[in-house]
Amino acid sequence: MKAVLFEHFREAPSIRNVPDPKPSTDGVVVKVEATGLCRSDWHGWMGHDADIVLPHVPGHELAGTVQAVGRQVTQWRVGDRVTVPFVGGCGHCHECNSGNHQVCEQQFQPGFTAWGSFAEYVAIDYADTNLVRLPEELDFVTAASLGCRFVTSFRAIVDQAKVLPGEWVAVHGCGGVGLSAIMIATAMGANVVAIDLTEEKLAFARELGAVATVNGAEQDVVAAVKEITKGGAHVSVDALGHPSTCFNSIANLRRRGRHVQVGLMLGDHATPQVPMDKVIAHELQIVGSHGMQAFRYKAMMDMLETGKLKPQKL
Amino acid sequence: MKAVLFEHFREAPSIRNVPDPKPSTDGVVVKVEATGLCRSDWHGWMGHDADIVLPHVPGHELAGTVQAVGRQVTQWRVGDRVTVPFVGGCGHCHECNSGNHQVCEQQFQPGFTAWGSFAEYVAIDYADTNLVRLPEELDFVTAASLGCRFVTSFRAIVDQAKVLPGEWVAVHGCGGVGLSAIMIATAMGANVVAIDLTEEKLAFARELGAVATVNGAEQDVVAAVKEITKGGAHVSVDALGHPSTCFNSIANLRRRGRHVQVGLMLGDHATPQVPMDKVIAHELQIVGSHGMQAFRYKAMMDMLETGKLKPQKL
Amino acid sequence: MKAVLFEHFREAPSIRNVPDPKPSTDGVVVKVEATGLCRSDWHGWMGHDADIVLPHVPGHELAGTVQAVGRQVTQWRVGDRVTVPFVGGCGHCHECNSGNHQVCEQQFQPGFTAWGSFAEYVAIDYADTNLVRLPEELDFVTAASLGCRFVTSFRAIVDQAKVLPGEWVAVHGCGGVGLSAIMIATAMGANVVAIDLTEEKLAFARELGAVATVNGAEQDVVAAVKEITKGGAHVSVDALGHPSTCFNSIANLRRRGRHVQVGLMLGDHATPQVPMDKVIAHELQIVGSHGMQAFRYKAMMDMLETGKLKPQKL
Amino acid sequence: MKAVLFEHFREAPSIRNVPDPKPSTDGVVVKVEATGLCRSDWHGWMGHDADIVLPHVPGHELAGTVQAVGRQVTQWRVGDRVTVPFVGGCGHCHECNSGNHQVCEQQFQPGFTAWGSFAEYVAIDYADTNLVRLPEELDFVTAASLGCRFVTSFRAIVDQAKVLPGEWVAVHGCGGVGLSAIMIATAMGANVVAIDLTEEKLAFARELGAVATVNGAEQDVVAAVKEITKGGAHVSVDALGHPSTCFNSIANLRRRGRHVQVGLMLGDHATPQVPMDKVIAHELQIVGSHGMQAFRYKAMMDMLETGKLKPQKL
Ligand SMILES: [Zn+2]
Ligand SMILES: [Zn+2]
Ligand SMILES: [Zn+2]
Ligand SMILES: [Zn+2]
Ligand SMILES: [Zn+2]
Ligand SMILES: [Zn+2]
Ligand SMILES: [Zn+2]
Ligand SMILES: [Zn+2]
């Protein structure tokens, strides 16, 4: 098959002919119909991810049809239309058994721990645990786009932040993760304040449902969020991943507010400072969010089906 | 002042001149600008409520302006536009201290434990704990309508059922409580199935957001809900209060589903049968819901303000 | 192998020579070292359980060593010392994926859905999902006794009731389930009130940590529990499974109290009456509890290891 | 009355005759029978607390008898034996209404926002909300010692960490807060690992129930905790309040572990670095804990009464 492959970090990848993948006993091979690209791919290519073994084929945001099935797979057949979360759980560790495949102890990540979807075919391990069936009406391109930013935001907002209707939610950074978070929190009945540095992105945030916006290039972000929310956000998300957005996102909370760290913090940014004095005095909560389990796609898909979420707008 | 008063249960009330109320030391007197009527008033007039002492003035769904203030009240002034939940907490018992005024041990209920709002003025005790400030843009009639059915449904759906986005919510009975529940669950991103006996009410339910409806006069309710929801509802609400809606609402749940009993069960209906074999085998949850605390109005009001809830449509 | 087998419901079982079991591809065969008996076996033998196909070998409380391993099993080897919960999850349905194997949609139950442990060997399906490794220091007899009553109580008290330290917990019925519940709730810092009809059992309950007891043959149970707990229990468990213990267990709760139904309700007792008027007015919660997942044994085992739980005392 | 008073920060306090306090309308005056001292007093005397107005009388850990009662107080009488939490809620802000007096927006703190208990008498505002009745059998000295370190640990372990039985809990720092946390977590059925720099304190920690100890002067704390707990603590508490204990306490968690920051972080330590990369990848949770509400003393007192907690051992 043809695949996009790089042999050295930070050097241009090229299209090569490589052997077709075979399914592991508990895995499948998927014919790739659509694949996406995000900042995690850039991190991988830069050499920031210790899981990658060279030469490497990237690609973790994918949708396609099952083309071959390992002999232990019981739930899937050739021809099934599928996608996968970017973190695949092994299905047998303590985390997987408790329903927390997103922090599995032996994760399968296409495009990181194995060759990914910038290829005609991609092998996916632990298929029974991780494959997600696509509804008829969901096209491959939209499906591929769900697998990373959108599901990450879904888990962050729904399962980690546990946003309640009528709460004020501040979203720091209006890239793919942030815009997804805005759409999802709005669909749950929250009042969203979007923060970014450009008016263009803030305008799009308002289109997706944000009831207020703050331009960090012009305003004191923490003061502005506190004023708009009359005391601070109930929930705040760092959707970018930077020490300053992280700090602001904690600092703009009201008493007992919850910060969710979604944007990755790697390299120099791995250990940012946080306003711990305020965390104590106001009993703030900080929580990380990492991907989403395959079984949680069902709720998201049911919202797509009834038009409550429209990822194709992003 | 003039008031609607009855001297005997089940006998016609009449309009009388009675002395103007005076505020208790921790209470206020409210000039009534709007007042509503619901089935609870009928129960009270029938003699089903042991709290009522004759002669009695009913009325618990009210909005108005503060007209007099007791000397211990610190948060309210003459002229403030207000409403109150139908259960007022004393502010000092264990339940109130823990934030659960809706199940206060010494409840103040206008129209039940004291004379109510079918009068020019009504005295409200424990004012600092229970009064709710009306936003400028909220008219008295809408505000009065919130105080009973709408807030009851808000607590039932948001705080007791803890509905999540993408969940399937069955609402049994499309009266005031049920329609409120449909609007609120829809605003939270849930997929609602409405159940009633008349097509007219079901049509209105669909207008308010229900994605499917079941006519109990024509269909097997439990089977229909299970089919629509592909396995059973995650959450089901008995918004009517009848042994059969209660039973169906539990029986149509999927594994680990949650039933919320909102519709009152009094007299002959006080101790209905439930499918406890299924409660065990499927680990179902049953929970009651009773009014809502004054401090929780804030989230609801913030949703009204941004147009996410529109009680005036009911 | 030799096995205890019955060919008709309600007729005496006999010891027979039957073919040795073979492991399914995802299962193991366990050499039975210890096996227990409980009221569920009686229900099975009476014909109350629709899963049982005749002729049948009962037995669901077991411990032993792995004797043969199916070819898809990755986590277990011949010679491993193991036990299993009485409900085995399939590992692939929505419930299992979410960590709720105790309500799996395709349960494997040794002694019910398949031949059980009253035999020299027993086949256990879905081994990777359901086997539990025994610590060196845990003998087979104690381990076998955990699998049904003790783990059922652990889940009921810890995961379903979510008992908090300092709470008052009423346990109705001091059989195996009830005594386990008393030991576990006590180990969590709760104050337990035990209820039974015989002084002997109540004396044993006190030995296991109950701080108060009520003899239902002599006292009004609901009134007594309310007096001892100064207002009602925070948590109450029907450990027997009878309409009257179920009703009392709900009726003796304080406001916002939680009833857990553990004792089975079958046949004539399947749909008991509950005081729903009080469930609403006091916002009570009723929840069922059914077995326990294999992965939750770890916390229980860690308590055994440090002497915080002593099931051998039961 | 006589009182210990200082006129300048960092200068020796002296005993003076000052006017007797009078109760505010919603407050009481308590005759001080016992009073304690802790590091917060040192912070106050150093000038780290912006609430203190000079000249000042310190003292926030107190027990005594009510000596005078303001005219709006309804729950208390002269002669009542009482203590108070060090944070008193106003009883009327949003936080207090929701049951979160520990983060009240207008806190009353004896010894900080007002003169404290190093005096014959101390005035306590918001008495109906904050006074705690002492059981007959609880002496004043023990009661005074509860009000700061012990209740802070109770909330941290029970309400903020939500420790479960069988979980591994790491406690960093074996001073008053840490030892209280060890006793409380042990009483809940958790397995506690105590960390400190001196063998003497670790020996005392074992006496109070710690099942393992780590001497940070001799061992790599994070590695040692991970080894003892076979993968990391479920819950970890920084009971000291230092950037290094805070960092270690987060770093030694297992996947989805919860860190509770109890030890104060002030001045130079206010914004410590945290391993946010791990917070994301392992979905860790960080939460602050601040005092405890008066109404939550009841559960703690019930545990004292049945001997499940013994603060007098500390
Ligand atoms: Zn991506
Ligand atoms: Zn795993
Ligand atoms: Zn009403
Ligand atoms: Zn009250
Ligand atoms: Zn059994
Ligand atoms: Zn299953
Ligand atoms: Zn307050
Ligand atoms: Zn102190």
Side-chain angles (χ1 to χ4, degrees):
Chain A
M1 69 170 179
K2 286 193 160 42
V4 174
L5 183 143
F6 58 87
E7 300 207 359
H8 302 279
F9 293 117
R10 310 189 190 200
E11 291 189 4
S14 59
I15 297 179
R16 301 281 188 83
N17 278 307
V18 298
D20 283 4
K22 291 208 166 61
S24 59
T25 55
D26 60 5
V28 297
V29 167
V30 171
K31 181 173 186 303
V32 179
E33 305 281 359
T35 191
L37 189 71
C38 83
R39 208 175 133 188
S40 300
D41 296 307
W42 176 83
H43 278 300
W45 176 75
M46 286 290 286
H48 293 169
D49 191 318
D51 290 331
I52 294 179
V53 178
L54 294 177
H56 186 66
V57 176
H60 61 282
E61 308 181 354
L62 68 101
T65 49
V66 174
Q67 199 244 2
V69 176
R71 66 177 158 80
Q72 293 185 14
V73 173
T74 62
Q75 315 287 309
W76 301 96
R77 297 186 181 188
V78 171
D80 285 344
R81 302 171 73 246
V82 298
T83 187
V84 286
F86 74 87
V87 176
C90 72
H92 290 306
C93 72
H94 188 85
E95 294 306 324
C96 286
N97 279 331
S98 68
N100 289 286
H101 312 80
Q102 79 285 353
V103 288
C104 169
E105 296 164 17
Q106 295 109 28
Q107 301 174 10
F108 174 82
Q109 299 186 356
F112 299 99
T113 65
W115 282 12
S117 56
F118 276 94
E120 290 177 85
Y121 300 100
V122 60
I124 303 290
D125 288 354
Y126 314 135
D128 280 346
T129 302
N130 297 301
L131 258 53
V132 174
R133 195 176 304 279
L134 300 182
E136 284 302 308
E137 60 280 9
L138 189 63
D139 64 277
F140 287 117
V141 173
T142 303
S145 78
L146 294 176
C148 179
R149 285 153 292 189
F150 202 78
V151 302
T152 294
S153 288
F154 193 87
R155 175 165 176 77
I157 293 292
V158 177
D159 291 345
Q160 295 294 83
K162 299 182 204 305
V163 166
L164 292 174
E167 285 194 322
W168 287 93
V169 176
V171 176
H172 295 258
C174 295
V177 169
L179 292 170
S180 301
I182 291 165
M183 179 186 282
I184 294 161
T186 298
M188 294 172 72
N191 286 330
V192 177
V193 182
I195 301 106
D196 205 292
L197 300 174
T198 78
E199 277 307 318
E200 197 188 347
K201 286 189 172 173
L202 294 175
F204 192 34
R206 282 190 295 269
E207 241 176 75
L208 294 174
V211 299
T213 51
V214 174
N215 188 328
E218 295 169 6
Q219 290 175 272
D220 175 334
V221 169
V222 171
V225 171
K226 285 190 170 179
E227 196 192 333
I228 292 166
T229 59
K230 298 196 179 81
H234 296 88
V235 167
S236 191
V237 179
D238 176 8
L240 178 63
H242 187 277
S244 67
T245 45
C246 171
F247 195 97
N248 282 346
S249 176
I250 300 170
N252 71 12
L253 290 170
R254 73 175 60 207
R255 285 151 203 264
R256 295 183 295 119
R258 297 153 268 151
H259 163 77
V260 187
Q261 187 64 38
V262 187
L264 293 180
M265 299 292 253
L266 297 171
D268 294 350
H269 293 166
T271 60
Q273 289 183 289
V274 305
M276 198 61 88
D277 51 348
K278 204 183 158 188
V279 169
I280 300 169
H282 290 183
E283 293 197 341
L284 306 181
Q285 196 183 97
I286 297 169
V287 66
S289 197
H290 186 251
M292 188 169 86
Q293 313 98 310
F295 79 86
R296 285 293 285 145
Y297 275 64
K298 184 73 178 64
M300 192 177 76
M301 295 293 194
D302 283 355
M303 295 181 78
L304 264 70
E305 211 170 315
T306 52
K308 290 168 198 288
L309 289 176
K310 294 179 177 157
Q312 61 278 14
K313 286 181 70 172
L314 293 175
Chain B
M1 66 169 181
K2 286 191 160 44
V4 175
L5 182 144
F6 58 85
E7 300 207 355
H8 302 280
F9 293 117
R10 310 187 190 203
E11 291 189 5
S14 59
I15 297 177
R16 300 282 189 83
N17 277 308
V18 298
D20 283 4
K22 291 210 166 60
S24 59
T25 54
D26 60 6
V28 298
V29 167
V30 172
K31 182 173 186 303
V32 179
E33 304 283 359
T35 191
L37 191 70
C38 84
R39 208 174 133 187
S40 300
D41 296 306
W42 176 83
H43 278 299
W45 175 75
M46 286 289 286
H48 294 169
D49 191 318
D51 290 331
I52 293 179
V53 179
L54 295 175
H56 186 66
V57 176
H60 61 283
E61 308 180 355
L62 69 101
T65 49
V66 174
Q67 199 243 3
V69 177
R71 65 178 159 79
Q72 294 185 13
V73 174
T74 62
Q75 314 287 309
W76 301 95
R77 296 187 181 187
V78 171
D80 286 342
R81 302 171 73 245
V82 297
T83 188
V84 286
F86 74 87
V87 176
C90 73
H92 290 305
C93 72
H94 188 85
E95 295 305 325
C96 286
N97 279 331
S98 69
N100 289 285
H101 312 80
Q102 79 285 353
V103 289
C104 170
E105 296 164 17
Q106 295 108 27
Q107 301 174 9
F108 173 83
Q109 300 185 355
F112 299 99
T113 66
W115 282 13
S117 55
F118 276 94
E120 291 178 84
Y121 301 99
V122 60
I124 303 290
D125 287 355
Y126 315 135
D128 281 344
T129 302
N130 298 301
L131 258 55
V132 174
R133 194 176 304 279
L134 300 182
E136 284 302 307
E137 59 278 10
L138 188 64
D139 63 278
F140 287 117
V141 172
T142 303
S145 78
L146 295 177
C148 179
R149 285 153 293 188
F150 202 79
V151 302
T152 294
S153 289
F154 193 88
R155 176 166 175 76
I157 293 292
V158 177
D159 290 347
Q160 295 294 83
K162 299 182 205 304
V163 167
L164 291 175
E167 285 195 322
W168 287 92
V169 177
V171 176
H172 294 259
C174 295
V177 170
L179 293 171
S180 301
I182 291 165
M183 179 185 283
I184 294 161
T186 298
M188 294 171 71
N191 286 330
V192 177
V193 181
I195 301 106
D196 204 292
L197 300 173
T198 77
E199 278 306 320
E200 196 189 348
K201 285 188 173 175
L202 294 174
F204 191 34
R206 283 190 294 269
E207 241 175 76
L208 294 174
V211 300
T213 52
V214 174
N215 188 328
E218 297 168 5
Q219 290 174 272
D220 176 333
V221 170
V222 172
V225 171
K226 284 191 171 179
E227 196 192 332
I228 292 167
T229 59
K230 299 197 179 79
H234 297 86
V235 167
S236 191
V237 180
D238 175 9
L240 178 64
H242 187 276
S244 68
T245 44
C246 171
F247 196 97
N248 283 346
S249 177
I250 300 170
N252 70 13
L253 290 170
R254 73 176 57 207
R255 285 151 203 264
R256 295 184 295 120
R258 297 153 269 152
H259 163 77
V260 187
Q261 187 64 39
V262 187
L264 292 180
M265 300 292 253
L266 297 171
D268 295 350
H269 293 168
T271 60
Q273 289 183 289
V274 305
M276 198 62 86
D277 51 348
K278 204 183 157 187
V279 168
I280 298 169
H282 291 184
E283 293 196 341
L284 306 181
Q285 197 183 97
I286 297 170
V287 67
S289 197
H290 187 251
M292 188 170 85
Q293 313 98 310
F295 79 87
R296 285 293 285 146
Y297 276 64
K298 184 74 178 65
M300 192 177 76
M301 295 294 194
D302 283 354
M303 293 181 79
L304 264 70
E305 212 170 315
T306 52
K308 290 167 198 288
L309 290 176
K310 294 179 177 157
Q312 62 277 15
K313 287 181 71 173
L314 294 174
Chain C
M1 68 169 180
K2 287 192 160 42
V4 174
L5 183 143
F6 58 86
E7 300 207 358
H8 301 280
F9 293 118
R10 307 186 191 203
E11 290 189 4
S14 59
I15 296 177
R16 299 281 188 82
N17 277 307
V18 297
D20 282 4
K22 290 209 166 62
S24 59
T25 55
D26 60 6
V28 297
V29 167
V30 171
K31 180 171 186 304
V32 179
E33 305 282 359
T35 191
L37 190 71
C38 84
R39 208 173 134 189
S40 300
D41 296 305
W42 176 83
H43 278 299
W45 176 74
M46 287 290 285
H48 293 169
D49 191 317
D51 291 331
I52 293 179
V53 178
L54 294 175
H56 185 66
V57 177
H60 62 282
E61 307 181 354
L62 69 102
T65 49
V66 174
Q67 199 243 4
V69 177
R71 65 176 160 78
Q72 293 185 14
V73 174
T74 62
Q75 314 288 309
W76 301 96
R77 296 186 182 189
V78 171
D80 285 343
R81 302 171 73 245
V82 297
T83 187
V84 286
F86 74 87
V87 177
C90 71
H92 289 307
C93 72
H94 188 85
E95 295 305 326
C96 286
N97 280 331
S98 68
N100 289 286
H101 312 81
Q102 79 285 354
V103 290
C104 169
E105 296 164 16
Q106 295 109 27
Q107 300 174 12
F108 173 83
Q109 299 186 356
F112 299 99
T113 65
W115 282 13
S117 55
F118 276 94
E120 291 178 85
Y121 301 99
V122 59
I124 303 291
D125 288 355
Y126 314 136
D128 280 345
T129 302
N130 297 301
L131 259 53
V132 174
R133 194 175 305 279
L134 300 183
E136 284 302 308
E137 59 280 9
L138 189 63
D139 64 278
F140 287 117
V141 172
T142 304
S145 78
L146 294 177
C148 179
R149 285 153 290 188
F150 202 79
V151 303
T152 294
S153 288
F154 194 87
R155 177 166 175 75
I157 293 291
V158 177
D159 291 347
Q160 295 294 82
K162 298 182 206 304
V163 166
L164 291 175
E167 286 194 322
W168 287 92
V169 177
V171 176
H172 295 258
C174 294
V177 169
L179 292 171
S180 301
I182 291 165
M183 179 185 282
I184 294 161
T186 298
M188 294 172 71
N191 286 330
V192 177
V193 182
I195 300 107
D196 204 293
L197 300 174
T198 77
E199 278 307 319
E200 196 189 348
K201 286 188 175 176
L202 294 175
F204 192 33
R206 282 190 295 269
E207 241 175 75
L208 294 174
V211 299
T213 52
V214 174
N215 188 328
E218 296 168 4
Q219 290 175 272
D220 176 335
V221 169
V222 171
V225 171
K226 284 190 170 179
E227 197 192 332
I228 291 166
T229 59
K230 300 199 179 77
H234 297 87
V235 167
S236 191
V237 179
D238 176 9
L240 178 64
H242 187 276
S244 67
T245 44
C246 171
F247 196 97
N248 283 346
S249 176
I250 300 169
N252 71 14
L253 291 170
R254 72 175 60 206
R255 285 150 203 265
R256 295 184 296 119
R258 297 153 268 152
H259 163 77
V260 187
Q261 187 65 39
V262 186
L264 293 180
M265 300 293 253
L266 298 172
D268 294 351
H269 293 167
T271 60
Q273 288 183 289
V274 304
M276 198 61 88
D277 51 348
K278 205 185 156 187
V279 169
I280 300 170
H282 290 184
E283 294 197 340
L284 306 180
Q285 197 183 97
I286 296 169
V287 67
S289 196
H290 187 251
M292 187 169 86
Q293 314 98 312
F295 80 86
R296 284 293 284 145
Y297 274 65
K298 184 74 178 65
M300 193 177 75
M301 295 294 194
D302 284 354
M303 293 182 78
L304 264 69
E305 212 169 315
T306 51
K308 290 167 197 290
L309 290 176
K310 295 179 177 159
Q312 62 276 16
K313 286 180 70 173
L314 294 175
Chain D
M1 67 170 180
K2 286 192 161 41
V4 174
L5 183 143
F6 58 87
E7 300 208 356
H8 301 280
F9 294 118
R10 309 187 190 201
E11 290 190 4
S14 59
I15 297 178
R16 300 281 188 83
N17 277 307
V18 297
D20 283 4
K22 290 208 167 62
S24 60
T25 56
D26 60 6
V28 297
V29 167
V30 171
K31 181 172 186 304
V32 179
E33 304 283 359
T35 192
L37 189 71
C38 84
R39 206 172 135 189
S40 300
D41 296 306
W42 176 82
H43 278 300
W45 176 75
M46 286 290 285
H48 294 167
D49 190 319
D51 290 332
I52 294 179
V53 178
L54 294 175
H56 185 66
V57 176
H60 62 283
E61 308 182 353
L62 68 101
T65 49
V66 173
Q67 200 243 4
V69 177
R71 65 177 159 78
Q72 293 185 13
V73 174
T74 63
Q75 315 288 308
W76 301 95
R77 295 188 182 188
V78 171
D80 285 344
R81 302 171 73 246
V82 297
T83 188
V84 286
F86 74 88
V87 176
C90 72
H92 290 307
C93 72
H94 189 85
E95 295 305 324
C96 286
N97 279 332
S98 68
N100 290 285
H101 312 80
Q102 79 285 354
V103 289
C104 169
E105 296 165 16
Q106 295 108 28
Q107 301 174 11
F108 173 82
Q109 300 185 356
F112 299 100
T113 66
W115 281 12
S117 56
F118 276 94
E120 291 179 83
Y121 301 100
V122 60
I124 303 291
D125 287 355
Y126 314 136
D128 281 346
T129 302
N130 297 302
L131 258 53
V132 175
R133 194 175 306 279
L134 299 183
E136 284 302 308
E137 59 280 10
L138 188 63
D139 64 277
F140 287 117
V141 172
T142 304
S145 78
L146 295 176
C148 179
R149 285 154 290 187
F150 203 80
V151 302
T152 294
S153 289
F154 194 88
R155 176 165 176 76
I157 293 291
V158 178
D159 291 348
Q160 295 295 83
K162 298 181 205 304
V163 166
L164 292 174
E167 285 195 324
W168 287 93
V169 177
V171 176
H172 295 258
C174 295
V177 170
L179 293 171
S180 302
I182 291 165
M183 179 185 282
I184 294 161
T186 298
M188 294 171 72
N191 286 330
V192 177
V193 182
I195 301 106
D196 204 292
L197 300 174
T198 77
E199 278 306 319
E200 196 189 348
K201 285 187 174 176
L202 294 175
F204 192 32
R206 283 190 295 269
E207 240 175 75
L208 294 173
V211 299
T213 52
V214 174
N215 188 328
E218 296 168 6
Q219 291 175 272
D220 176 334
V221 170
V222 171
V225 171
K226 284 190 171 180
E227 197 193 332
I228 292 167
T229 59
K230 298 197 179 79
H234 297 88
V235 167
S236 191
V237 180
D238 176 9
L240 178 64
H242 187 276
S244 68
T245 44
C246 171
F247 196 97
N248 282 346
S249 176
I250 300 169
N252 71 13
L253 290 170
R254 72 175 59 208
R255 284 151 203 265
R256 295 185 295 120
R258 297 152 268 151
H259 163 78
V260 187
Q261 187 65 38
V262 186
L264 294 179
M265 299 293 252
L266 297 172
D268 294 350
H269 293 166
T271 60
Q273 288 183 290
V274 305
M276 199 61 89
D277 50 348
K278 203 184 159 188
V279 169
I280 299 170
H282 290 184
E283 293 196 341
L284 306 181
Q285 197 183 97
I286 297 169
V287 66
S289 197
H290 188 251
M292 187 170 87
Q293 314 97 312
F295 79 86
R296 284 293 285 145
Y297 274 66
K298 184 74 178 65
M300 193 177 75
M301 294 293 194
D302 284 355
M303 293 181 80
L304 265 69
E305 211 170 316
T306 52
K308 289 167 198 289
L309 289 176
K310 293 178 179 161
Q312 63 277 15
K313 287 181 70 174
L314 293 175

